[in-house]
Amino acid sequence: MTDFSRTRSLFTIPKGVIYLDGNSLGALPSAVPARVAHMIEAEWGTELIRGWNSAGWMTQPRRVGDRVAHLIGAAPGTVVMGDTLSIKVYQALAAALSLNPSRRVILSDSGNFPSDLYMAQGLVRMLGDRATLKVVEPEAVEAAIDDGVAVLMLTEVDYRTGRMHDMKALTAKAHAAGALAIWDLAHSAGAVPVDLAGADADFAVGCTYKYLNGGPGAPAFIYVAPRHADIAPPALSGWMGHEAPFAFDLDYRPGGGIERMRIGTPPIIALAALDAALDAWEGVSMQDVRAASIALSELFIAEVERRCPSLTLASPRDPSRRGSQVSFRHPDGYAIMRALIARGVIGDFRAPDALRFGFTPLYLGEAEVRGAVDILEEVLVKKLWDRPDYRQKELVT
């Protein structure tokens, strides 16, 4: 059994704050500052450029990738870190289209994260009549998979509502129709059990600053199934993905396996923070995390619906169809969230009307959930949100 009292002691949460936004940015693991300071002072400061060899910087994207792989049901050597999630989406999508050249349709859904769709739209513009993007409602995805689809590109957990796709079933349907499947795990990795190998996914991508607690702008990851690893063409052929980066050849030759999905110089300071953050997952069972997050979210929903009737549940009621987040709708959702944050309950807002709350058992328990609902009820009953300054939109919502 996972000892969540131990994991909670590994995080730094400001006094007086109930943090329900780990689905957007994870809390600070207490070990991160010292690890980053060591990297800066002892590695960079002392070793200087020698650190690429002596401190293992050059191989860090693969080593940290293996640690992430363990949490998403992937084999060692199939995940590599670097760049941003949008870049990794582009890489996976371009590679998948190249592996299925007789088809041109990219199938996605309207619940996908907009940036994923933007990247697909940009790639389609570049390819002209060689590709097209088809977007359907989430419930219509399965029926839309036919023999014209080249690539199925979905986010497993909907960023607004937490609704979950059935990865294994949809991947099997895609394969039966001759299509490849790409999964965005931004709201899955560290939140729900993921089994990429068992689901037979072709590609997967994800960020590490949410449930994996890697910090703002932490590097993203990409997974390539072993059957594709040595044939997937890297659309972004950067020098770190070259077979021999320091040969400085003028012509690109892709590296072997997952190494070809590297692009530019890796963000070593950010990787040091992420590496330290991943220590908190040692001895943690994703099945235990899932059970605890369901218990917390079920408690939250029950208490909110009992005490805050003006809010409408936007997330699936069945916990097996939800990720580790819950959304409620209200016409004045943004102002309500601003009032909550001002009182120490930190969630976030997603347009047009969703108050979004994340449940991260590594540092969140029942007492915090009940305390958050106490404050939410007070904000609503006393209309503490009804202030002009709370209606004023900030840059990040």
Side-chain angles (χ1 to χ4, degrees):
M1 294 290 291
T2 300
D3 182 356
F4 288 113
S5 63
R6 180 192 69 83
T7 63
R8 285 171 203 154
S9 72
L10 302 177
F11 288 85
T12 300
I13 308 290
K15 186 176 181 180
V17 167
I18 299 175
Y19 194 61
L20 302 179
D21 208 16
N23 54 303
S24 191
L25 176 67
L28 172 67
S30 303
V32 166
R35 175 67 182 89
V36 171
H38 175 83
M39 183 272 142
I40 291 173
E41 296 168 4
E43 295 179 9
W44 178 16
T46 301
E47 291 299 290
L48 299 169
I49 199 167
R50 295 173 297 184
W52 288 104
N53 293 313
S54 63
W57 298 345
M58 191 65 174
T59 58
Q60 197 167 11
R62 180 76 167 268
R63 287 187 287 104
V64 176
D66 281 347
R67 300 191 75 184
V68 172
H70 176 69
L71 296 172
I72 57 174
T78 61
V79 174
V80 73
M81 313 302 303
D83 318 296
T84 67
L85 178 52
S86 293
I87 295 295
K88 294 307 177 197
V89 168
Y90 191 94
Q91 280 186 287
L93 187 54
L97 284 172
S98 295
L99 292 173
N100 210 355
S102 65
R103 301 187 181 189
R104 58 193 298 267
V105 177
I106 302 164
L107 176 63
S108 192
D109 72 62
S110 57
N112 205 346
F113 191 66
S115 185
D116 290 19
L117 298 179
Y118 301 160
M119 298 308 288
Q121 290 163 7
L123 181 58
V124 165
R125 284 194 296 271
M126 292 288 291
L127 294 175
D129 62 1
R130 288 177 291 166
T132 184
L133 174 64
K134 180 178 181 180
V135 178
V136 300
E137 292 298 310
E139 296 76 17
V141 167
E142 184 174 2
I145 300 173
D146 58 29
D147 59 9
V149 174
V151 183
L152 176 67
M153 181 187 72
L154 297 172
T155 296
E156 185 186 24
V157 176
D158 186 299
Y159 76 102
R160 281 197 185 96
T161 67
R163 173 198 44 78
M164 288 184 68
H165 278 303
D166 186 331
M167 180 190 294
K168 188 170 185 177
L170 289 175
T171 299
K173 180 73 181 289
H175 288 171
L180 300 179
I182 300 170
W183 290 94
D184 183 335
L185 305 180
H187 291 272
S188 303
V192 299
V194 178
D195 184 6
L196 289 176
D200 203 25
D202 296 287
F203 296 86
V205 296
C207 59
T208 59
Y209 50 80
K210 302 181 190 297
Y211 296 95
L212 298 183
N213 311 299
F221 62 84
I222 184 168
Y223 162 84
V224 181
R227 62 183 175 277
H228 302 311
D230 287 314
I231 59 172
L236 300 173
S237 45
W239 77 306
M240 286 291 172
H242 193 282
E243 182 182 55
F246 286 89
F248 297 110
D249 292 338
L250 296 183
D251 294 316
Y252 182 82
R253 302 192 313 274
I258 194 66
E259 290 292 316
R260 66 181 54 201
M261 291 300 168
R262 294 178 64 168
I263 303 173
T265 306
I268 298 301
I269 298 174
L271 282 169
L274 173 59
D275 198 23
L278 291 171
D279 288 346
W281 290 93
E282 296 297 326
V284 172
S285 159
M286 282 308 306
Q287 281 67 35
D288 292 345
V289 169
R290 179 62 168 158
S293 74
I294 286 176
L296 294 173
S297 61
E298 288 287 274
L299 173 63
F300 183 77
I301 291 170
E303 289 296 302
V304 169
E305 291 191 323
R306 182 173 67 85
R307 297 159 61 181
C308 308
S310 63
L311 298 181
T312 302
L313 182 65
S315 299
R317 190 166 295 279
D318 180 354
S320 69
R321 297 184 55 242
R322 260 193 335 256
S324 197
Q325 62 193 66
V326 171
S327 295
F328 279 90
R329 300 192 189 282
H330 191 283
D332 294 293
Y334 181 75
I336 293 169
M337 184 55 70
R338 288 286 302 276
L340 280 174
I341 292 171
R343 288 158 180 80
V345 176
I346 301 180
D348 62 19
F349 172 82
R350 289 296 177 262
D353 58 1
L355 295 96
R356 197 172 66 152
F357 305 91
F359 298 90
T360 50
L362 264 63
Y363 52 81
L364 185 70
E366 181 178 324
E368 287 84 3
V369 170
R370 293 187 183 279
V373 180
D374 288 343
I375 295 171
L376 177 58
E377 180 182 26
E378 181 183 24
V379 164
L380 291 170
V381 169
K382 297 182 179 179
K383 291 192 174 181
L384 301 177
W385 54 267
D386 195 8
R387 290 172 30 172
D389 56 329
Y390 288 160
R391 297 179 187 276
Q392 185 66 39
K393 292 285 179 70
E394 295 188 308
L395 287 177
V396 177
T397 63

